Amino acid sequence: MAQWTSAVGAAQLARLLNSQQERPAGPGTRRPPAYRALADGVRLLVLEGRVPVAARLPAERELALSLSVSRTTVAAAYEALRAEGFLESRRGAGSWTAVPAGNPLPARGLEPLPPEALGSMIDLGCAALPAPEPWLTRAVQGALEELPPYAHTHGDYPAGLPALREMLAERYTARGIPTMPEQIMVTTGAMGAIDAICHLFAGRGERIAVESPSYANILQLMREAGARLVPVAMAEGLAGWDMDRWRQVLRDAAPRLAYVVADFHNPTGALADEDQRRRLVDAARSAGTVLIVDETMSELHLDEGVEMPRPVCGFDPAGSTVITVGSASKAFWAGMRIGWVRAAPDVIRSLVAARAYADLGTPVLEQLAVNWLLSTGGWEQAVEIRRTQARENRDALVTALRRELPGWEYDVPRGGLTLWVRTGGLSGSRLAEVGERVGVRVPSGPRFGVDGAFEGYVRLPFTVGGAVADEAATRLAVAARLVESGANGGTDAPRTFVA
């Protein structure tokens, strides 16, 4: 990036550096100089995504005071980071974090694996489960029975079938969010919804604030739309959003849009609480930022006793700040490409008008199938099957990982479909590459960050269970040993990202 888009204060950076666990030195190992240890600490924070790329760092004197070291030490550390490509500076503008050229985002790992290749490869790239039968078949049969009246029309419904819009509005109302059908547009999946919103609100070059990490496919969609992504680091573990960082970014960068996943965040699994939701809406309203809230995981609470907070749009009664996106893809089946937008009526009208130059509308038969599920009670029964599948798969995967890779770190989420795993210092990109050669396909951490962050992570979805989960963990352990030993199959990629 040409310039910084957020800032990290001296006290905040000192806390992050002090939170890093120091690795014990082996016998005869000499400690690195103080400037080298500081540079390595900042580099690790950037690669893990705890300090965003393009974040302005504090002045040398300020950081020296916060760390109780000499200014010379900080200056030498900054110079080392500049030489390695992790820091850029400009006179009068300060210094901001970067990722070196030549560290491209991995190109593989999220695209669905062709079904014919599933026999030899365990696919952990796509967070999607098989259809919850018999409900898919019943829904399609029900849709076919409802189809004849629609077959006598032209079949284009840019806002969606009236019956489905009304049903979705009723469901929001039942959740305590009064909603009219005029506030709903049916889309071709959540991706289609977010693509339409971005094109309406954010032209090329506009800033969009995103969680760091965030859902990889949405990040790529926004990049291709020409957006300037402004990453906002998540709080540690499953704590949700870091509201101090969100307020600072919204105030300083003034992004046109912000994209968040409040319910069982993809990839971390975090669930934002009601206070975080209220404060984020207030901060976005003050900054003039429109929030895109992705609710695709909202029904996938897996443990007993999980109390779901109010939807984010419930804290925006005027409807001027929050646009909500939902989908049948995660809760029901990825092959059911039905999504929807809930927003103010004027926003829906604008989205519908723009659709004339995009996809015109969503397939009628699939809309009728989702409407059949929602109107007959089939949706709730199908989602319960989905929860049971995901819960059993999650528990099997965690058990297998603890056995095969005890050094890997993660917090087990209480819902969603993904586990965000710190790989003990190994490169996630190398694990993805080597894993594919040993028969397990995983997406590396940088896919979920901006400009190469999260090199030390992989995302593992709850898509396999039982013996397959055991075998997946065994193959990951093989891949980890190969990466750690430097058996890189002829490539010259580094085996780890830590010094």
Side-chain angles (χ1 to χ4, degrees):
M1 293 186 181
Q3 212 166 12
W4 58 275
T5 56
S6 61
V8 180
Q12 179 187 4
L13 182 56
R15 286 195 302 272
L16 290 170
L17 289 165
N18 290 332
S19 71
Q20 293 176 331
Q21 294 184 351
E22 186 174 348
R23 294 174 180 269
T29 302
R30 299 172 60 183
R31 290 185 178 275
Y35 85 89
R36 183 68 262 172
L38 175 56
D40 289 345
V42 173
R43 178 167 57 93
L44 183 59
L45 288 172
V46 172
L47 287 169
E48 289 185 338
R50 297 175 67 192
V51 169
V53 175
R56 189 172 189 258
L57 295 187
E60 295 169 3
R61 187 185 302 277
E62 295 175 3
L63 185 57
L65 287 172
S66 292
L67 292 173
S68 299
V69 300
S70 70
R71 182 177 176 181
T72 302
T73 296
V74 177
Y78 278 15
E79 183 57 37
L81 289 167
R82 274 190 289 271
E84 296 164 3
F86 285 93
L87 197 68
E88 296 181 12
S89 303
R90 181 178 302 148
R91 185 178 297 276
S95 299
W96 57 92
T97 55
V99 169
N103 286 46
L105 293 174
R108 297 173 292 178
L110 286 181
E111 300 80 5
L113 194 67
E116 61 270 17
L118 291 175
S120 59
M121 182 75 68
I122 298 175
D123 185 12
L124 298 180
C126 187
L129 288 161
E133 289 287 29
W135 295 105
L136 173 62
T137 298
R138 291 181 182 177
V140 173
Q141 290 171 342
L144 288 172
E145 293 176 2
E146 299 290 335
L147 182 61
Y150 296 94
H152 294 293
T153 72
H154 52 61
D156 287 334
Y157 295 86
L161 295 184
L164 181 53
R165 297 175 72 195
E166 183 173 352
M167 179 60 64
L168 292 169
E170 289 177 1
R171 288 177 65 84
Y172 277 106
T173 300
R175 294 168 67 189
I177 314 298
T179 303
M180 303 179 295
E182 291 80 10
Q183 292 177 262
I184 301 292
M185 180 177 82
V186 181
T187 62
T188 307
M191 293 286 289
I194 294 170
D195 183 55
I197 295 166
C198 289
H199 278 90
L200 179 63
F201 282 91
R204 298 192 68 85
E206 291 275 7
R207 290 177 175 176
I208 301 179
V210 294
E211 297 151 326
S212 183
S214 186
Y215 180 35
N217 288 340
I218 294 297
L219 295 181
Q220 189 59 30
L221 181 155
M222 291 175 174
R223 290 187 190 100
E224 292 182 358
R228 297 175 60 191
L229 300 183
V230 182
V232 186
M234 296 286 288
E236 286 296 302
L238 299 177
W241 300 322
D242 185 324
M243 287 311 306
D244 290 337
R245 295 182 184 180
W246 268 106
R247 278 196 302 271
Q248 183 178 28
V249 168
L250 294 178
R251 182 184 64 243
D252 295 346
R256 183 72 183 92
L257 292 174
Y259 169 76
V260 296
V261 184
D263 303 302
F264 307 120
H265 175 259
N266 186 353
T268 69
L271 177 65
D273 62 33
E274 289 207 1
D275 183 61
Q276 290 172 330
R277 295 169 190 235
R278 180 184 297 105
R279 293 166 63 191
L280 183 58
V281 172
D282 289 345
R285 185 182 298 115
S286 297
T289 298
V290 175
L291 287 176
I292 307 173
V293 179
D294 187 333
E295 284 192 336
T296 54
M297 297 282 191
S298 64
E299 296 191 64
L300 293 177
H301 44 87
L302 305 183
D303 294 338
E304 295 292 334
V306 176
E307 293 187 11
M308 294 301 295
R310 292 177 63 197
V312 178
C313 57
F315 300 97
D316 179 38
S320 59
T321 299
V322 176
I323 298 177
T324 303
V325 172
S327 171
S329 296
K330 299 299 184 185
F332 185 74
W333 184 47
M336 188 71 75
R337 304 304 304 159
I338 298 295
W340 53 86
V341 177
R342 181 201 181 274
D346 62 317
V347 172
I348 295 297
R349 287 193 294 270
S350 297
L351 289 170
V352 171
R355 202 168 192 181
Y357 310 101
D359 63 355
L360 293 178
T362 302
V364 170
L365 188 63
E366 282 86 340
Q367 292 187 72
L368 288 172
V370 171
N371 190 61
W372 183 91
L373 287 166
L374 294 174
S375 61
T376 62
W379 178 269
E380 283 72 21
Q381 296 185 62
V383 170
E384 189 55 45
I385 293 173
R386 172 67 74 240
R387 292 191 191 111
T388 300
Q389 290 175 322
R391 183 188 309 114
E392 292 175 351
N393 289 353
R394 178 198 63 183
D395 295 347
L397 179 63
V398 168
T399 298
L401 287 175
R402 286 172 175 164
R403 181 183 65 248
E404 299 292 338
L405 291 156
W408 286 17
E409 302 173 14
Y410 43 84
D411 291 289
V412 181
R414 304 190 68 190
L417 289 173
T418 57
L419 193 67
W420 185 236
V421 181
R422 190 196 302 255
T423 57
L426 299 179
S427 162
S429 298
R430 291 285 295 116
L431 281 167
E433 179 185 357
V434 176
E436 196 152 337
R437 297 207 303 269
V438 301
V440 60
R441 194 165 181 260
V442 296
S444 62
R447 294 294 303 271
F448 304 88
V450 175
D451 293 337
F454 303 109
E455 185 57 62
Y457 289 81
V458 294
R459 188 197 74 171
L460 304 179
F462 310 145
T463 53
V464 296
V468 181
D470 290 339
E471 180 61 22
T474 298
R475 295 184 188 185
L476 281 172
V478 171
R481 287 193 294 271
L482 290 172
V483 172
E484 195 165 19
S485 69
N488 52 25
T491 70
D492 56 2
R495 62 177 181 170
T496 66
F497 66 84
V498 292

